Structure formats: C-alpha cells, structure tokens
Amino acid sequence: MTSEDRDPTTVEAEGSRSSASQRGHMPLWQETVLLLAGALVLAIVIKALFVQAFYIPSESMEPGLVKNDRILVEKPSYWLGGEPQRGDVVVFKDPGGWLGPEDVSEATNPVTRLLTKVGLYPSGGHLVKRVIGTPGDVVECCDDQGRLMVNGKPIDESAYARPNDVGCAPGTAGKCFGPMPGVKHWKTPPVPKGMLFVMGDNRAHSADSSYHLCTANETDCTDSPWVSAGLVVGKVMAVVWPAGKVRFEHRPDSFDPVPAP
C-alpha cells in the first residue's frame, strides 16, 4: 500500500503522535534542573512540617548527647494541640539572652548556608534541653537524696542525667540532680500557662531554666526561667552522627509517677 492509498485520517493521527513525541522529549539539562527543583521543594516541605536536622551546640546534654552530635527533630508530635511532655528532649529558639554571640553565628560557606536553610544540613542557633515542668507544675531542688521533685514527687534521673558534683543537701555531693554550682536549694512558682521549665542533662554545666531562675536571695533579678512552648521547634527523635552512636531517642518513664499539678 502506497502513501496515496492510506487513510488520510490515519496519516494525520500518526503525524500528531510523532510531533507529540518530539515535543515530549526534554533535554537532559532541563530534566536535571526539574529534578533538582523538585528535590529542593521537597526538602523545604519536609523541614517546615516534618523533620529537621540540628547539631548539639554544647556539653549541656551530656552524657547522652555530646557536643557536635547530629540529631533529627520531629515536629508532628506537637501538631493539632499536642504539647511537649515532661521528659521530652526538645529543640527551641532562644527565649532571650540564653545564647551567646558564638552560638548564633551562621556558616560563612554559601553552599552550607543554602543547605542549612532547606534542612539538608544541621543548623545551630537553637537550644536543646529536657522538659522538666509543664504548665501548673512546681519544680523543686531537691529531696534528701539529691533528686529533683515535680509536684512533690521525687524523680529518678540516674539513667540519663549527669549529677552536679556540688551537693544540694548533706551527703548528696556527686549525686545532686538539681542546681547549678553555688545554688543549694530552689523552688519554682507554678509554671505559667503556655510555658515550660527545661534543664540540660549535664546539671553542672547547663545554662538552663534553673540557671535563669530568680532565687529568694536575688533582689534585682530580671531573668525568666520559662520557655514559651511556641518557641519549640520539635522533639529529638534520633541521633544520626557519629555513626557509632546512631539511635532513636525515647521519653523516659521516670516522670510517669508525677501527679497532676
């Protein structure tokens, strides 16, 4: 059959398919650009809504989380009215004056800065602490065994916290889980609504809520120990670097016996 004998409709349809095929073939560089753009958008969405990478900025969370450990923080736990719970390790923005200039400096490498912005590289400028008190709770240091008390209930934190080497009661030197050095005893007012009381696990080396708490002997103190729940970015879910320390993080059960405020 010659081309003259073929159905004109068939010839036209085949020509249309050929043209569509030619139009549908995209140069490699365009495909690469589209793939990179799609990956960038996906990374931004994941960072904004689901998971973000950070690094531990100091020794304040030792022994569990060591300076420069890379961590992943998940955000869905606090969606739809979810709130941080006692025992959660959270990442939060500076409530005001808790970070020094060296802690908020950004990377100078433009590639690193871009990767940080989209969540593909761990970012700094945040704090990592453990939630000790939630709205209504009263936190006190300490009982006669050096344990923190929340709503009058002593908390056994020996599984994850490093005690202060300064005693908070007679006979508690080296096993006091409460104060920063030089502060023997303190008690908070009830944690305000929408606020949190947080502490680092390395109790002798953490400028946390207990450090910013105005004690009875301070007459001109203007510090505030509270962290707004609105500043919380998310909950630490895993350590991803160094390779030998990769693990998931879970809320300890040590706070389970604490009564309601």
Side-chain angles (χ1 to χ4, degrees), residues 148-172:
L148 282 177
M149 293 183 288
V150 181
N151 301 335
K153 182 70 176 179
I155 309 300
D156 181 7
E157 299 186 277
S158 58
Y160 55 82
R162 176 176 292 170
N164 198 322
D165 55 6
V166 177
C168 51
T172 62

Side-chain angles (χ1 to χ4, degrees), residues 14-109:
E14 290 178 351
S16 298
R17 285 196 297 270
S18 176
S19 299
S21 176
Q22 292 175 358
R23 289 196 302 269
H25 182 70
M26 187 179 296
L28 178 61
W29 71 268
Q30 288 184 347
E31 290 183 355
T32 303
V33 170
L34 282 177
L35 286 173
L36 289 176
L40 186 64
V41 171
L42 181 61
I44 293 173
V45 171
I46 290 174
K47 173 188 173 183
L49 299 178
F50 299 103
V51 178
Q52 188 171 349
F54 291 89
Y55 64 85
I56 301 298
S58 71
E59 72 276 12
S60 69
M61 288 301 293
E62 292 180 359
L65 299 175
V66 179
K67 185 176 180 179
N68 290 323
D69 279 358
R70 269 50 175 175
I71 57 175
L72 292 181
V73 171
E74 59 94 353
K75 303 180 180 184
S77 288
Y78 303 146
W79 287 358
L80 303 176
E83 297 289 344
Q85 303 297 308
R86 304 183 197 100
D88 285 354
V89 177
V90 296
V91 171
F92 57 96
K93 300 175 184 177
D94 188 359
W98 285 31
L99 289 173
E102 68 281 359
D103 299 316
V104 297
S105 59
E106 294 187 357
T108 55
N109 185 308

